[in-house]
Amino acid sequence: VKTPDTLRSRLLKASREEIPHVYAEAGMWYDALMAISNLIADEPNNPIFQKQRAALLEQVGLSQVAQYELEQAGLAK
């Protein structure tokens, strides 16, 4: 899907940490997942990013995957 100009403009203004949220708000789930996964790859010990990816997975109905994500990160309740 071609990125709409308005979304492209928002992405250019967003901080690296805001990019997954911008994509998610625009309904670009795969791009949001890729952006948060890139943040995790760069900072694998940052629990905030891992929790955000789990929350994104929950939002699209992948509860078991989200739970696994949290368990692997040592963040499961």
Side-chain angles (χ1 to χ4, degrees):
V1 173
K2 184 178 181 230
T3 305
D5 290 337
T6 54
L7 177 57
R8 184 173 299 126
S9 175
R10 287 187 61 207
L11 289 167
L12 289 172
K13 295 174 186 174
S15 71
R16 212 169 151 252
E17 291 80 13
E18 293 172 326
I19 289 174
H21 301 288
V22 173
Y23 276 126
E25 288 174 359
M28 310 276 293
W29 186 80
Y30 289 109
D31 295 297
L33 185 60
M34 179 189 66
I36 194 67
S37 295
N38 288 340
L39 291 173
I40 292 170
D42 291 344
E43 295 184 46
N45 296 321
N46 187 332
I48 293 170
F49 298 147
Q50 293 166 326
K51 287 178 183 178
Q52 289 175 345
R53 183 163 64 184
L56 183 61
L57 293 166
E58 279 281 345
Q59 289 174 8
V60 296
L62 296 173
S63 299
Q64 290 179 327
V65 178
Q67 183 61 34
Y68 180 79
E69 169 85 20
L70 295 173
E71 287 171 3
Q72 293 301 303
L75 302 169
K77 295 178 184 180

